[in-house]
Amino acid sequence: MNGLGTDGGGSTHDTASSTHNTVSGDAVIVGPLLMAQHIEGIQLPPPPPDVPPSQGPMPSRVFVNRTKELADLQDAALSLAAGPEPGVVLVVGVGGVGKTQLVAQAVRRELHRLFPDGQLYVDLADHRRDGAVDLAAVLGEFLRALRVHKDYVPGGLAERTALFRSVAATLRLLVKVDNVQHAPEVRALVPPQGLLVATGRRVLPSLLMDGAVLIDVAPLDGAAGTELVRRWHADADEGTAADVVRLCAGHPLALRAALEWLAARPQLTLDDVVRDLTAGRYGTGDGGVREATGMAMVAGGGTEEGGVGEAVDTVLDSVVAGVSGHTRHLYDLLGVLPGTTATADLLTATGATQVDEGLGELLSCRLAVLVESSDRPRRYRLHDVVRAHARLRARALPEERRRAVLRLVVDFYADAAAHGDALVLGDRFRIQPPPVRPLSELAARGTLFTGRPDALEWLDAERANFRAAVRAAADEGWYEDVWRLCESLWALYHSRKHLADCVESGLLGIEAAQHEARPDVEIRMRNQVARAAYELGDLDRAESQLDAAADLLGLAGDPRLSGVVQESRGLIALARGRSEESPGAARERAEEARELFERALAANRAVPDPHGIVVQSYNVAQALVAGERWADALDVLGEAAETARTTGDEPMLPRIDLVRAHAFAGLGSLDRAVAAAGAAADAAAGLKQFAKLDQALELLTALADRAEDRPLRVACEEKLGALRRTMGLRPPAAPTA
């Protein structure tokens, strides 16, 4: 190469002793032949600890009377692990019978040695919407657990499936999946090498036809149950222990709850437990609730025997009746909550008192369990059988009280989401006003989150609860809360690519806006749905939403709403242009996109919105590059870069420089293209925009190849490989001889 580049203005600075070239931002490349050394010097983040994931519920210290099932599971795992293909084991039994604990025990005793590269776990109940599981979200969690950086997790199900199979191709993994209902849910999550163990309430014949091994976990018989009771209560009379087992229908969850309750009351005996269960001492004073709960378990689980369901419910009624008043109140609150988990902050916000003490008592009674979470707050959940019981109790509460609790829950999540949105996406255009309550008022102690990364982790950990809160608000007719939540949750859905959630909540947001007669809100909601559909590759659906939004623009006052619609239309036009086979047709699409982005730019200038001006200028330049109008693109980018630097919009600078590099390359000015791409790499590394750094290094590699600059190409390839390894993307396995 004969020289390196300049900034967008084209200025080159020469000195008597050396030549250096200033590119956009503060990056300075010293010496025209030293770009390779400069690329080698780019600092990458340290790779995450090379520790295999070990997810899933912990095994209990007390585990007896499942000798046959445990041996069958271990034998099946050993046999399947020895084969060349991945295997599946299906563990079936009524809710709470001990399926998950059986798997946990097998992992601790034997299976962890068979799968040294880690264990992944998911409870599909947390990802099920209207009977269907969001498999893209599950695979996203798996990829992050396998140390794939969030910037490298794609949005669509097909792309995530392909990446999961690539990343896991050489790994011996154990995947544990609870609450499976349909065979496709299992097939999508089977690791390329290793074993998937699924638990569910019913047999899935198509999986067995695929070669899955079935393990049936039945309630404990009299002898086994009695042994378990005497293991927990050593001085128990055998006959009394047998009566407890009979009254609990051999159900381990019911037995454990009853014995834990007794353990906390040393003044009572096992005879008292038998007497209470026999008498039907129900916490509600209404046997109808117990009956209804048992029937609901039969209907919901598909395999529950009525006697088991009623026996479990009898025990739960007795246990709840025996806890302290504030704990019983907390239990009823958990039955009202629309989501699956709760934090002490949420429970406090709903008016609960002595929350820590109550949660401690629920944990000690085995009514609640702690949930693994990547962010700071502890999260609690009820076992699904217990949750069904709590929700049936909640139905007996006065309607006014139930709605009052839901009101507090929705208010909490609406304010928390708004604060999270502000931290994650900063000063972006929003329709809703800032929340009245400060962030500090939402937490029982301290704050919910501090800073962008912390806020994003908290939002992600609460994702299932947000989804439930949006639907609960819609069911109650609280339409303003629905669209407020949807608008704020764009920060989560866009950042973590939860695109199916974005579509689902956005459709509810559209209905809410129509009920409220808010065309401005409806435009915003339709645009969010369109952007999610665009990222999923469903361009037709995206365009139909934008068509409906465009029809409302005359009723909206803020010109930025026109801008967001025109921007989305422009992105779709660019995407369609990339798929055009004819160069002429591609240029026509590029011109269409340019005109749309120009309208979006004018709308942002009318406000004015400095960030919007920078973004739309960048988009205009993208369209100009796609239309091969290289010089025009450079003019637009120069102005955009100056505005970004003036307004402190540094995150846009790497994106601007990447487009600048493409424009210089189109003009044949490879030295300037390399300088712009190098500036993009520098800025992206400094801002920890690793996806943009990847793009910059990939572009630099291609430019070095065109310029026949082997040292630069080698440096870029090595840095790119190091970056991708750091981001969790393992290189393909070397071919075997």
Side-chain angles (χ1 to χ4, degrees):
M1 294 176 62
N2 296 321
L4 293 178
T6 64
D7 62 2
S11 60
T12 302
H13 308 274
D14 296 314
T15 65
S17 58
S18 66
T19 301
H20 68 273
N21 307 280
T22 303
V23 294
S24 64
D26 298 325
V28 177
I29 310 302
V30 180
L33 301 178
L34 299 181
M35 176 63 90
Q37 289 95 321
H38 182 81
I39 294 300
E40 291 170 356
I42 290 178
Q43 294 296 309
L44 300 179
D50 190 14
V51 178
S54 182
Q55 299 180 335
M58 295 295 292
S60 169
R61 289 186 178 181
V62 178
F63 185 81
V64 297
N65 303 312
R66 292 298 188 189
T67 304
K68 180 181 184 302
E69 294 93 335
L70 192 60
D72 289 346
L73 177 54
Q74 292 175 340
D75 289 346
L78 285 167
S79 175
L80 293 170
E85 301 295 331
V88 174
V89 176
L90 180 60
V91 182
V92 174
V94 297
V97 79
K99 302 182 295 292
T100 299
Q101 188 56 222
L102 176 71
V103 175
Q105 293 291 336
V107 170
R108 180 179 67 83
R109 301 182 188 199
E110 181 67 32
L111 270 58
H112 70 281
R113 288 192 286 268
L114 301 175
F115 306 101
D117 295 314
Q119 305 160 31
L120 301 174
Y121 171 78
V122 64
D123 186 339
L124 295 186
D126 293 336
H127 296 274
R128 199 176 298 282
R129 296 193 307 269
D130 299 327
V133 169
D134 184 358
L135 291 171
V138 176
L139 288 169
E141 292 181 1
F142 282 3
L143 287 168
R144 292 184 66 198
L146 293 172
R147 299 185 293 281
V148 176
H149 192 276
K150 61 181 178 61
D151 290 353
Y152 283 73
V153 176
L157 174 60
E159 294 84 358
R160 290 187 178 187
T161 300
L163 183 57
F164 173 65
R165 290 173 180 167
S166 296
V167 170
T170 60
L171 302 179
R172 299 285 293 172
L173 290 173
L174 174 63
V175 176
K176 299 171 287 184
V177 184
D178 275 343
N179 286 307
V180 166
Q181 293 183 6
H182 307 288
E185 299 166 356
V186 175
R187 296 189 183 107
L189 303 177
V190 175
Q193 293 193 47
L195 180 71
L196 184 144
V197 180
T199 72
R201 297 190 180 186
R202 59 192 180 93
V203 176
L204 302 177
S206 61
L207 277 186
L208 302 185
M209 293 176 67
D210 290 347
V213 177
L214 177 65
I215 307 294
D216 189 8
V217 183
L220 298 170
D221 60 26
T226 299
E227 181 185 345
L228 181 59
V229 169
R230 299 185 75 183
R231 176 74 176 266
W232 284 329
H233 204 68
D235 58 349
D237 174 79
E238 185 171 346
T240 306
D243 286 340
V244 173
V245 175
R246 175 179 52 80
L247 289 166
C248 292
H251 198 289
L253 176 66
L255 285 169
R256 179 142 198 159
L259 270 295
E260 292 279 0
W261 178 85
L262 177 62
R265 293 159 180 80
Q267 76 278 13
L268 301 180
T269 68
L270 204 59
D271 289 320
D272 294 308
V273 174
V274 172
R275 185 164 48 252
D276 285 346
L277 293 178
T278 302
R281 180 183 164 198
Y282 311 129
T284 61
D286 181 4
V289 173
R290 175 181 62 82
E291 240 176 70
T293 308
M295 291 171 63
M297 291 171 65
V298 174
T303 63
E304 298 282 11
E305 293 293 336
V308 175
E310 291 181 11
V312 172
D313 196 63
T314 299
V315 174
L316 294 177
D317 281 337
S318 293
V319 171
V320 172
V323 300
S324 57
H326 63 268
T327 301
R328 192 158 51 250
H329 174 67
L330 202 63
Y331 185 79
D332 289 339
L333 278 179
L334 290 167
V336 176
L337 298 184
T340 57
T341 64
T343 61
D345 297 318
L346 173 64
L347 294 168
T348 301
T350 60
T353 59
Q354 296 178 265
V355 172
D356 290 336
E357 294 87 342
L359 287 171
E361 193 169 4
L362 290 177
L363 288 172
S364 68
C365 291
R366 300 295 188 222
L367 296 176
V369 295
L370 275 171
V371 181
E372 294 180 5
S373 178
S374 58
D375 69 330
R376 182 180 63 253
R378 285 187 164 190
R379 286 180 166 75
Y380 304 84
R381 71 180 302 165
L382 300 178
H383 187 282
D384 54 354
V385 173
V386 179
R387 186 163 62 244
H389 175 264
R391 287 184 173 172
L392 260 295
R393 280 177 59 95
R395 290 186 190 178
L397 296 174
E399 180 66 12
E400 183 179 345
R401 180 184 172 193
R402 186 193 65 81
R403 293 188 86 237
V405 171
L406 275 181
R407 177 75 267 174
L408 293 170
V409 170
V410 170
D411 287 345
F412 173 86
Y413 279 125
D415 285 348
H419 282 295
D421 173 28
L423 282 171
V424 173
L425 293 183
D427 189 23
R428 73 177 179 113
F429 166 50
R430 298 175 178 86
I431 295 177
Q432 64 179 299
V436 175
R437 285 187 293 183
L439 185 59
S440 59
E441 286 188 13
L442 298 177
R445 292 182 294 272
T447 58
L448 296 183
F449 38 75
T450 56
R452 181 184 186 278
D454 196 23
L456 192 54
E457 288 300 323
W458 189 91
L459 291 171
D460 209 3
E462 291 283 354
R463 185 169 66 90
N465 295 330
F466 275 123
R467 191 170 65 234
V470 170
R471 186 166 290 280
D475 291 342
E476 296 293 336
W478 300 331
Y479 300 119
E480 182 178 351
D481 299 283
V482 172
W483 70 258
R484 278 185 62 204
L485 278 162
C486 293
E487 185 181 43
S488 297
L489 289 172
W490 174 255
L492 168 64
Y493 296 156
H494 181 66
S495 299
R496 289 287 166 87
K497 303 303 178 189
H498 296 309
L499 303 178
D501 282 4
C502 187
V503 171
E504 180 192 20
S505 66
L507 293 176
L508 291 174
I510 291 169
E511 293 180 9
Q514 292 170 340
H515 278 287
E516 293 274 286
R518 290 289 303 268
D520 55 340
V521 173
E522 185 175 348
I523 292 167
R524 191 65 188 266
M525 296 295 99
R526 288 190 182 277
N527 186 71
Q528 288 187 185
V529 173
R531 289 296 289 269
Y534 159 77
E535 292 199 41
L536 287 168
D538 191 348
L539 301 186
D540 291 338
R541 183 178 191 178
E543 282 191 325
S544 68
Q545 288 291 338
L546 294 172
D547 288 342
D551 291 341
L552 299 170
L553 287 175
L555 303 175
D558 196 311
R560 286 175 290 185
L561 289 168
S562 173
V564 297
V565 172
Q566 304 304 339
E567 177 190 21
S568 298
R569 284 186 179 278
L571 292 172
I572 291 171
L574 277 182
R576 293 199 186 279
R578 286 191 291 269
S579 64
E580 295 283 2
E581 295 183 3
S582 163
R587 283 193 292 270
E588 287 180 9
R589 288 287 190 181
E591 180 60 19
E592 176 190 350
R594 183 198 63 78
E595 292 176 357
L596 290 164
F597 290 139
E598 289 280 11
R599 293 176 201 165
L601 177 58
N604 280 275
R605 281 177 171 158
V607 177
D609 184 330
H611 175 66
I613 291 170
V614 173
V615 170
Q616 301 313 325
S617 298
Y618 160 80
N619 283 333
V620 168
Q622 284 197 97
L624 289 168
V625 167
E628 300 181 1
R629 294 172 57 181
W630 322 113
D632 291 340
L634 288 170
D635 290 340
V636 173
L637 290 166
E639 182 180 347
E642 182 60 32
T643 303
R645 284 193 289 268
T646 301
T647 59
D649 201 352
E650 285 85 2
M652 284 301 299
L653 291 175
R655 302 171 70 182
I656 290 170
D657 276 322
L658 279 171
V659 181
R660 192 199 305 268
H662 284 290
F664 279 131
L667 289 171
S669 181
L670 296 184
D671 55 348
R672 294 185 175 188
V674 167
D682 283 339
L687 293 166
K688 298 183 179 180
Q689 295 181 355
F690 301 119
K692 291 300 173 188
L693 175 57
D694 190 299
Q695 293 176 25
L697 291 171
E698 197 164 46
L699 177 57
L700 276 168
T701 303
L703 292 171
D705 195 52
R706 283 179 59 183
E708 299 181 354
D709 187 336
R710 187 175 182 279
L712 177 58
R713 190 189 73 225
V714 170
C716 291
E717 288 174 345
E718 291 179 351
K719 185 63 66 173
L720 188 59
L723 173 65
R724 291 177 178 176
R725 286 190 295 274
T726 298
M727 295 295 103
L729 301 182
R730 294 168 177 80
T736 57

